[in-house]
mmCIF file of all heavy atoms in Angstrom:
data_model
loop_
_atom_site.group_PDB
_atom_site.id
_atom_site.type_symbol
_atom_site.label_atom_id
_atom_site.label_comp_id
_atom_site.label_asym_id
_atom_site.label_seq_id
_atom_site.Cartn_x
_atom_site.Cartn_y
_atom_site.Cartn_z
ATOM 1 N N TYR W 173 9.482 3.420 -4.147
ATOM 2 C CA TYR W 173 10.014 3.733 -2.780
ATOM 3 C C TYR W 173 10.017 2.486 -1.899
ATOM 4 O O TYR W 173 10.990 2.361 -1.125
ATOM 5 C CB TYR W 173 9.028 4.818 -2.203
ATOM 6 C CG TYR W 173 9.283 4.960 -0.662
ATOM 7 C CD1 TYR W 173 10.255 5.486 -0.239
ATOM 8 C CD2 TYR W 173 8.144 4.581 0.150
ATOM 9 C CE1 TYR W 173 10.394 5.654 1.202
ATOM 10 C CE2 TYR W 173 8.275 4.674 1.510
ATOM 11 C CZ TYR W 173 9.442 5.147 2.078
ATOM 12 O OH TYR W 173 9.533 5.237 3.460
ATOM 13 N N LEU W 202 -0.031 16.112 -1.488
ATOM 14 C CA LEU W 202 0.296 15.785 -0.212
ATOM 15 C C LEU W 202 1.083 14.582 -0.048
ATOM 16 O O LEU W 202 2.148 14.437 0.392
ATOM 17 C CB LEU W 202 -0.802 15.784 0.883
ATOM 18 C CG LEU W 202 -0.631 15.338 2.138
ATOM 19 C CD1 LEU W 202 0.502 16.182 2.933
ATOM 20 C CD2 LEU W 202 -2.011 15.364 3.060
ATOM 21 N N LYS W 203 0.417 13.367 -0.621
ATOM 22 C CA LYS W 203 0.990 12.092 -0.644
ATOM 23 C C LYS W 203 2.347 12.048 -1.258
ATOM 24 O O LYS W 203 3.338 11.491 -0.748
ATOM 25 C CB LYS W 203 0.052 11.059 -1.313
ATOM 26 C CG LYS W 203 0.633 9.684 -1.232
ATOM 27 C CD LYS W 203 0.572 9.005 0.145
ATOM 28 C CE LYS W 203 -0.712 8.880 0.655
ATOM 29 N NZ LYS W 203 -1.612 7.798 -0.124
ATOM 30 N N ALA W 204 2.453 12.820 -2.437
ATOM 31 C CA ALA W 204 3.796 12.828 -3.115
ATOM 32 C C ALA W 204 4.851 13.509 -2.346
ATOM 33 O O ALA W 204 5.996 12.926 -2.212
ATOM 34 C CB ALA W 204 3.534 13.564 -4.538
ATOM 35 N N ARG W 205 4.619 14.570 -1.629
ATOM 36 C CA ARG W 205 5.570 15.329 -0.858
ATOM 37 C C ARG W 205 5.978 14.497 0.430
ATOM 38 O O ARG W 205 7.066 14.542 0.735
ATOM 39 C CB ARG W 205 4.944 16.630 -0.378
ATOM 40 C CG ARG W 205 4.656 17.715 -1.489
ATOM 41 C CD ARG W 205 6.083 18.167 -1.994
ATOM 42 N NE ARG W 205 5.942 19.116 -3.141
ATOM 43 C CZ ARG W 205 6.846 19.723 -3.716
ATOM 44 N NH1 ARG W 205 8.042 19.386 -3.435
ATOM 45 N NH2 ARG W 205 6.611 20.545 -4.762
ATOM 46 N N ILE W 206 4.976 13.728 1.088
ATOM 47 C CA ILE W 206 5.451 12.893 2.214
ATOM 48 C C ILE W 206 6.422 11.882 1.714
ATOM 49 O O ILE W 206 7.354 11.532 2.343
ATOM 50 C CB ILE W 206 4.085 12.215 2.808
ATOM 51 C CG1 ILE W 206 3.367 13.314 3.529
ATOM 52 C CG2 ILE W 206 4.541 11.219 3.702
ATOM 53 C CD1 ILE W 206 2.061 12.876 4.029
ATOM 54 N N ILE W 207 6.084 11.190 0.554
ATOM 55 C CA ILE W 207 7.058 10.096 -0.032
ATOM 56 C C ILE W 207 8.330 10.692 -0.324
ATOM 57 O O ILE W 207 9.328 10.168 -0.130
ATOM 58 C CB ILE W 207 6.326 9.315 -1.020
ATOM 59 C CG1 ILE W 207 5.117 8.501 -0.539
ATOM 60 C CG2 ILE W 207 7.283 8.355 -1.728
ATOM 61 C CD1 ILE W 207 4.286 7.757 -1.491
ATOM 62 N N LEU W 208 8.310 11.946 -0.929
ATOM 63 C CA LEU W 208 9.524 12.551 -1.308
ATOM 64 C C LEU W 208 10.416 12.827 -0.035
ATOM 65 O O LEU W 208 11.610 12.527 0.031
ATOM 66 C CB LEU W 208 9.423 13.782 -1.982
ATOM 67 C CG LEU W 208 8.974 13.686 -3.425
ATOM 68 C CD1 LEU W 208 8.461 15.003 -4.060
ATOM 69 C CD2 LEU W 208 10.286 13.287 -4.224
ATOM 70 N N GLY W 209 9.686 13.172 0.951
ATOM 71 C CA GLY W 209 10.444 13.363 2.249
ATOM 72 C C GLY W 209 10.886 12.083 2.778
ATOM 73 O O GLY W 209 12.111 12.073 3.311
ATOM 74 N N CYS W 210 10.125 11.025 2.678
ATOM 75 C CA CYS W 210 10.650 9.683 3.060
ATOM 76 C C CYS W 210 11.826 9.187 2.324
ATOM 77 O O CYS W 210 12.754 8.600 2.870
ATOM 78 C CB CYS W 210 9.582 8.635 2.996
ATOM 79 S SG CYS W 210 8.136 8.939 4.092
ATOM 80 N N CYS W 211 11.766 9.480 1.000
ATOM 81 C CA CYS W 211 12.968 9.109 0.130
ATOM 82 C C CYS W 211 14.326 9.913 0.629
ATOM 83 O O CYS W 211 15.294 9.192 0.769
ATOM 84 C CB CYS W 211 12.717 9.508 -1.338
ATOM 85 S SG CYS W 211 11.447 8.550 -2.160
ATOM 86 N N TYR W 212 14.182 11.066 0.878
ATOM 87 C CA TYR W 212 15.478 11.762 1.400
ATOM 88 C C TYR W 212 15.727 11.445 2.765
ATOM 89 O O TYR W 212 16.879 11.556 3.155
ATOM 90 C CB TYR W 212 15.213 13.311 1.245
ATOM 91 C CG TYR W 212 15.284 13.698 -0.258
ATOM 92 C CD1 TYR W 212 14.291 14.066 -0.945
ATOM 93 C CD2 TYR W 212 16.605 13.666 -0.917
ATOM 94 C CE1 TYR W 212 14.333 14.441 -2.367
ATOM 95 C CE2 TYR W 212 16.633 14.078 -2.370
ATOM 96 C CZ TYR W 212 15.439 14.377 -2.908
ATOM 97 O OH TYR W 212 15.595 14.766 -4.337
ATOM 98 N N SER W 213 14.719 10.996 3.603
ATOM 99 C CA SER W 213 14.917 10.444 4.949
ATOM 100 C C SER W 213 15.834 9.169 4.764
ATOM 101 O O SER W 213 16.856 8.973 5.509
ATOM 102 C CB SER W 213 13.743 10.058 5.686
ATOM 103 O OG SER W 213 13.967 9.284 6.646
ATOM 104 N N ASN W 214 15.537 8.426 3.811
ATOM 105 C CA ASN W 214 16.359 7.052 3.562
ATOM 106 C C ASN W 214 17.783 7.444 3.336
ATOM 107 O O ASN W 214 18.800 6.658 3.603
ATOM 108 C CB ASN W 214 15.659 6.299 2.507
ATOM 109 C CG ASN W 214 14.426 5.612 2.976
ATOM 110 O OD1 ASN W 214 13.999 5.581 4.035
ATOM 111 N ND2 ASN W 214 13.566 5.035 2.017
ATOM 112 N N ASP W 217 19.427 12.758 3.850
ATOM 113 C CA ASP W 217 19.662 14.109 3.393
ATOM 114 C C ASP W 217 18.530 14.973 4.073
ATOM 115 O O ASP W 217 17.479 15.214 3.597
ATOM 116 C CB ASP W 217 19.438 14.122 1.866
ATOM 117 C CG ASP W 217 19.635 15.496 1.239
ATOM 118 O OD1 ASP W 217 19.633 16.594 2.001
ATOM 119 O OD2 ASP W 217 19.895 15.548 0.012
ATOM 120 N N LEU W 218 18.949 15.384 5.274
ATOM 121 C CA LEU W 218 17.933 16.073 6.183
ATOM 122 C C LEU W 218 17.418 17.381 5.661
ATOM 123 O O LEU W 218 16.356 17.837 5.848
ATOM 124 C CB LEU W 218 18.598 16.173 7.597
ATOM 125 C CG LEU W 218 18.353 15.011 8.480
ATOM 126 C CD1 LEU W 218 19.089 13.782 8.038
ATOM 127 C CD2 LEU W 218 18.776 15.343 9.902
ATOM 128 N N ASP W 219 18.362 18.050 4.865
ATOM 129 C CA ASP W 219 17.773 19.336 4.337
ATOM 130 C C ASP W 219 16.753 19.090 3.242
ATOM 131 O O ASP W 219 15.772 19.893 3.234
ATOM 132 C CB ASP W 219 19.080 20.058 3.714
ATOM 133 C CG ASP W 219 19.991 20.589 4.766
ATOM 134 O OD1 ASP W 219 19.595 20.805 5.861
ATOM 135 O OD2 ASP W 219 21.202 20.846 4.298
ATOM 136 N N ALA W 220 17.007 18.188 2.295
ATOM 137 C CA ALA W 220 15.926 17.907 1.256
ATOM 138 C C ALA W 220 14.687 17.255 1.953
ATOM 139 O O ALA W 220 13.608 17.581 1.542
ATOM 140 C CB ALA W 220 16.503 17.041 0.248
ATOM 141 N N MET W 221 14.897 16.480 2.930
ATOM 142 C CA MET W 221 13.836 15.959 3.696
ATOM 143 C C MET W 221 12.928 17.084 4.233
ATOM 144 O O MET W 221 11.675 17.014 4.077
ATOM 145 C CB MET W 221 14.270 14.923 4.779
ATOM 146 C CG MET W 221 13.205 14.341 5.631
ATOM 147 S SD MET W 221 13.731 13.556 7.069
ATOM 148 C CE MET W 221 14.180 15.006 8.104
ATOM 149 N N GLU W 222 13.534 17.964 5.023
ATOM 150 C CA GLU W 222 12.808 18.939 5.661
ATOM 151 C C GLU W 222 12.193 19.803 4.598
ATOM 152 O O GLU W 222 11.054 20.334 4.960
ATOM 153 C CB GLU W 222 13.841 19.763 6.472
ATOM 154 C CG GLU W 222 13.166 20.766 7.375
ATOM 155 C CD GLU W 222 12.204 20.276 8.395
ATOM 156 O OE1 GLU W 222 12.556 19.322 8.974
ATOM 157 O OE2 GLU W 222 11.032 20.845 8.509
ATOM 158 N N ARG W 223 12.789 20.128 3.397
ATOM 159 C CA ARG W 223 12.145 20.911 2.533
ATOM 160 C C ARG W 223 10.670 20.352 2.013
ATOM 161 O O ARG W 223 9.792 21.032 1.930
ATOM 162 C CB ARG W 223 13.105 21.111 1.320
ATOM 163 C CG ARG W 223 12.496 21.942 0.182
ATOM 164 C CD ARG W 223 13.590 22.375 -0.827
ATOM 165 N NE ARG W 223 14.070 21.218 -1.751
ATOM 166 C CZ ARG W 223 15.158 20.672 -1.549
ATOM 167 N NH1 ARG W 223 16.056 20.971 -0.634
ATOM 168 N NH2 ARG W 223 15.457 19.541 -2.284
ATOM 169 N N HIS W 224 10.871 19.085 1.753
ATOM 170 C CA HIS W 224 9.572 18.440 1.221
ATOM 171 C C HIS W 224 8.531 18.298 2.351
ATOM 172 O O HIS W 224 7.286 18.406 2.128
ATOM 173 C CB HIS W 224 9.840 17.117 0.631
ATOM 174 C CG HIS W 224 10.627 17.273 -0.700
ATOM 175 N ND1 HIS W 224 10.033 17.608 -1.829
ATOM 176 C CD2 HIS W 224 11.870 16.893 -1.114
ATOM 177 C CE1 HIS W 224 10.785 17.643 -2.942
ATOM 178 N NE2 HIS W 224 12.002 17.224 -2.509
ATOM 179 N N TYR W 225 8.997 17.966 3.592
ATOM 180 C CA TYR W 225 8.095 17.812 4.665
ATOM 181 C C TYR W 225 7.406 19.195 5.026
ATOM 182 O O TYR W 225 6.311 19.211 5.481
ATOM 183 C CB TYR W 225 8.767 17.342 5.897
ATOM 184 C CG TYR W 225 8.784 15.652 5.859
ATOM 185 C CD1 TYR W 225 9.881 15.067 6.441
ATOM 186 C CD2 TYR W 225 7.882 14.940 5.152
ATOM 187 C CE1 TYR W 225 9.994 13.643 6.497
ATOM 188 C CE2 TYR W 225 8.046 13.531 5.169
ATOM 189 C CZ TYR W 225 9.065 12.949 5.825
ATOM 190 O OH TYR W 225 9.170 11.467 5.858
ATOM 191 N N THR W 226 8.171 20.191 4.867
ATOM 192 C CA THR W 226 7.560 21.605 5.095
ATOM 193 C C THR W 226 6.318 21.806 4.245
ATOM 194 O O THR W 226 5.370 22.342 4.630
ATOM 195 C CB THR W 226 8.709 22.686 4.999
ATOM 196 O OG1 THR W 226 9.741 22.545 5.904
ATOM 197 C CG2 THR W 226 8.077 24.012 5.142
ATOM 198 N N ILE W 227 6.561 21.509 2.921
ATOM 199 C CA ILE W 227 5.538 21.706 1.936
ATOM 200 C C ILE W 227 4.422 20.759 2.320
ATOM 201 O O ILE W 227 3.124 21.067 2.340
ATOM 202 C CB ILE W 227 5.992 21.432 0.598
ATOM 203 C CG1 ILE W 227 7.088 22.469 0.138
ATOM 204 C CG2 ILE W 227 4.850 21.463 -0.480
ATOM 205 C CD1 ILE W 227 7.776 22.081 -1.186
ATOM 206 N N ALA W 228 4.720 19.566 2.799
ATOM 207 C CA ALA W 228 3.627 18.575 3.053
ATOM 208 C C ALA W 228 2.855 19.009 4.193
ATOM 209 O O ALA W 228 1.662 18.900 4.389
ATOM 210 C CB ALA W 228 4.253 17.097 3.242
ATOM 211 N N ARG W 229 3.582 19.606 5.332
ATOM 212 C CA ARG W 229 2.923 20.273 6.477
ATOM 213 C C ARG W 229 1.820 21.291 6.042
ATOM 214 O O ARG W 229 0.712 21.292 6.566
ATOM 215 C CB ARG W 229 3.876 20.749 7.272
ATOM 216 C CG ARG W 229 4.504 19.898 8.281
ATOM 217 C CD ARG W 229 5.147 20.735 9.518
ATOM 218 N NE ARG W 229 6.040 19.784 10.236
ATOM 219 C CZ ARG W 229 7.361 19.954 10.234
ATOM 220 N NH1 ARG W 229 7.922 20.658 9.352
ATOM 221 N NH2 ARG W 229 8.136 19.131 11.026
ATOM 222 N N ARG W 230 2.242 22.188 5.091
ATOM 223 C CA ARG W 230 1.188 23.234 4.620
ATOM 224 C C ARG W 230 -0.017 22.588 4.114
ATOM 225 O O ARG W 230 -1.074 23.048 4.327
ATOM 226 C CB ARG W 230 1.968 24.051 3.699
ATOM 227 C CG ARG W 230 3.127 24.977 4.333
ATOM 228 C CD ARG W 230 3.712 25.719 3.089
ATOM 229 N NE ARG W 230 4.989 26.451 3.713
ATOM 230 C CZ ARG W 230 6.015 26.590 2.955
ATOM 231 N NH1 ARG W 230 6.166 26.069 1.658
ATOM 232 N NH2 ARG W 230 7.012 27.121 3.366
ATOM 233 N N LEU W 231 0.208 21.496 3.143
ATOM 234 C CA LEU W 231 -0.911 20.905 2.581
ATOM 235 C C LEU W 231 -1.672 20.242 3.541
ATOM 236 O O LEU W 231 -2.927 20.192 3.515
ATOM 237 C CB LEU W 231 -0.411 19.911 1.492
ATOM 238 C CG LEU W 231 0.176 20.520 0.210
ATOM 239 C CD1 LEU W 231 0.969 19.500 -0.502
ATOM 240 C CD2 LEU W 231 -0.921 21.196 -0.559
ATOM 241 N N ALA W 232 -1.200 19.503 4.509
ATOM 242 C CA ALA W 232 -1.876 18.810 5.489
ATOM 243 C C ALA W 232 -2.622 19.803 6.419
ATOM 244 O O ALA W 232 -3.828 19.457 6.823
ATOM 245 C CB ALA W 232 -0.895 17.954 6.255
ATOM 246 N N ARG W 233 -2.194 20.845 6.803
ATOM 247 C CA ARG W 233 -2.892 21.832 7.673
ATOM 248 C C ARG W 233 -4.024 22.349 6.732
ATOM 249 O O ARG W 233 -5.016 22.478 7.333
ATOM 250 C CB ARG W 233 -1.927 22.970 8.101
ATOM 251 C CG ARG W 233 -0.855 22.582 9.107
ATOM 252 C CD ARG W 233 -0.356 23.885 9.629
ATOM 253 N NE ARG W 233 0.857 23.594 10.413
ATOM 254 C CZ ARG W 233 2.202 23.675 10.127
ATOM 255 N NH1 ARG W 233 2.429 24.139 8.834
ATOM 256 N NH2 ARG W 233 3.136 23.299 10.874
ATOM 257 N N ASP W 240 -1.669 12.940 9.044
ATOM 258 C CA ASP W 240 -0.531 13.123 8.241
ATOM 259 C C ASP W 240 0.433 14.083 8.986
ATOM 260 O O ASP W 240 1.713 13.912 8.802
ATOM 261 C CB ASP W 240 -0.927 13.756 6.845
ATOM 262 C CG ASP W 240 -1.668 12.731 5.885
ATOM 263 O OD1 ASP W 240 -1.104 11.493 5.957
ATOM 264 O OD2 ASP W 240 -2.390 13.059 5.203
ATOM 265 N N LEU W 241 -0.004 15.139 9.604
ATOM 266 C CA LEU W 241 0.847 15.938 10.400
ATOM 267 C C LEU W 241 1.698 15.292 11.370
ATOM 268 O O LEU W 241 2.739 15.399 11.561
ATOM 269 C CB LEU W 241 0.081 17.058 11.102
ATOM 270 C CG LEU W 241 -0.423 18.250 10.153
ATOM 271 C CD1 LEU W 241 -1.421 19.065 10.849
ATOM 272 C CD2 LEU W 241 0.762 19.012 9.653
ATOM 273 N N SER W 243 2.290 11.939 11.312
ATOM 274 C CA SER W 243 3.203 11.105 10.564
ATOM 275 C C SER W 243 4.529 11.827 10.190
ATOM 276 O O SER W 243 5.572 11.297 10.386
ATOM 277 C CB SER W 243 2.459 10.441 9.356
ATOM 278 O OG SER W 243 3.452 9.631 8.636
ATOM 279 N N ILE W 244 4.420 12.996 9.699
ATOM 280 C CA ILE W 244 5.465 13.777 9.263
ATOM 281 C C ILE W 244 6.426 14.167 10.556
ATOM 282 O O ILE W 244 7.616 13.931 10.426
ATOM 283 C CB ILE W 244 4.991 15.147 8.616
ATOM 284 C CG1 ILE W 244 4.334 14.801 7.368
ATOM 285 C CG2 ILE W 244 6.238 16.079 8.584
ATOM 286 C CD1 ILE W 244 3.479 16.038 6.760
ATOM 287 N N ASN W 245 5.842 14.424 11.605
ATOM 288 C CA ASN W 245 6.626 14.794 12.750
ATOM 289 C C ASN W 245 7.356 13.503 13.263
ATOM 290 O O ASN W 245 8.548 13.631 13.702
ATOM 291 C CB ASN W 245 5.735 15.309 13.904
ATOM 292 C CG ASN W 245 5.166 16.720 13.703
ATOM 293 O OD1 ASN W 245 5.820 17.475 12.893
ATOM 294 N ND2 ASN W 245 4.028 16.963 14.265
ATOM 295 N N TYR W 246 6.604 12.331 13.205
ATOM 296 C CA TYR W 246 7.209 11.053 13.681
ATOM 297 C C TYR W 246 8.456 10.673 12.752
ATOM 298 O O TYR W 246 9.521 10.257 13.125
ATOM 299 C CB TYR W 246 6.098 9.967 13.616
ATOM 300 C CG TYR W 246 6.716 8.601 13.735
ATOM 301 C CD1 TYR W 246 6.963 7.995 14.850
ATOM 302 C CD2 TYR W 246 7.073 7.776 12.567
ATOM 303 C CE1 TYR W 246 7.404 6.643 14.995
ATOM 304 C CE2 TYR W 246 7.612 6.498 12.499
ATOM 305 C CZ TYR W 246 7.787 6.021 13.794
ATOM 306 O OH TYR W 246 8.245 4.715 13.925
ATOM 307 N N ASN W 247 8.267 10.882 11.422
ATOM 308 C CA ASN W 247 9.355 10.533 10.404
ATOM 309 C C ASN W 247 10.429 11.431 10.594
ATOM 310 O O ASN W 247 11.568 10.927 10.463
ATOM 311 C CB ASN W 247 8.721 10.679 9.007
ATOM 312 C CG ASN W 247 7.732 9.617 8.588
ATOM 313 O OD1 ASN W 247 7.506 8.583 9.269
ATOM 314 N ND2 ASN W 247 6.887 9.855 7.546
ATOM 315 N N ILE W 248 10.384 12.583 10.892
ATOM 316 C CA ILE W 248 11.503 13.665 11.028
ATOM 317 C C ILE W 248 12.224 13.154 12.379
ATOM 318 O O ILE W 248 13.551 13.060 12.206
ATOM 319 C CB ILE W 248 10.995 15.040 11.197
ATOM 320 C CG1 ILE W 248 10.558 15.497 9.851
ATOM 321 C CG2 ILE W 248 12.182 15.929 11.674
ATOM 322 C CD1 ILE W 248 9.757 16.963 9.880
ATOM 323 N N ALA W 249 11.477 12.901 13.364
ATOM 324 C CA ALA W 249 12.215 12.464 14.607
ATOM 325 C C ALA W 249 12.820 11.222 14.519
ATOM 326 O O ALA W 249 13.996 10.932 15.029
ATOM 327 C CB ALA W 249 11.144 12.454 15.745
ATOM 328 N N ALA W 250 12.295 10.283 13.776
ATOM 329 C CA ALA W 250 12.922 8.980 13.461
ATOM 330 C C ALA W 250 14.267 8.999 12.735
ATOM 331 O O ALA W 250 15.287 8.380 12.957
ATOM 332 C CB ALA W 250 11.924 7.964 12.872
ATOM 333 N N THR W 251 14.135 10.019 11.682
ATOM 334 C CA THR W 251 15.305 10.183 10.810
ATOM 335 C C THR W 251 16.412 10.827 11.638
ATOM 336 O O THR W 251 17.609 10.625 11.538
ATOM 337 C CB THR W 251 14.936 11.117 9.656
ATOM 338 O OG1 THR W 251 13.908 10.575 9.020
ATOM 339 C CG2 THR W 251 16.167 11.283 8.750
#
Side-chain angles (χ1 to χ4, degrees):
Y173 163 70
L202 170 59
K203 181 68 70 65
R205 288 294 179 178
I206 289 175
I207 294 179
L208 279 166
C210 291
C211 286
Y212 286 107
S213 166
N214 289 350
D217 185 339
L218 271 65
D219 289 339
M221 176 194 74
E222 184 63 45
R223 183 170 67 252
H224 289 291
Y225 277 152
T226 296
I227 297 171
R229 277 199 190 100
R230 292 178 190 138
L231 287 165
R233 289 193 191 100
D240 284 325
L241 284 169
S243 177
I244 290 166
N245 292 334
Y246 168 89
N247 289 341
I248 291 173
T251 306

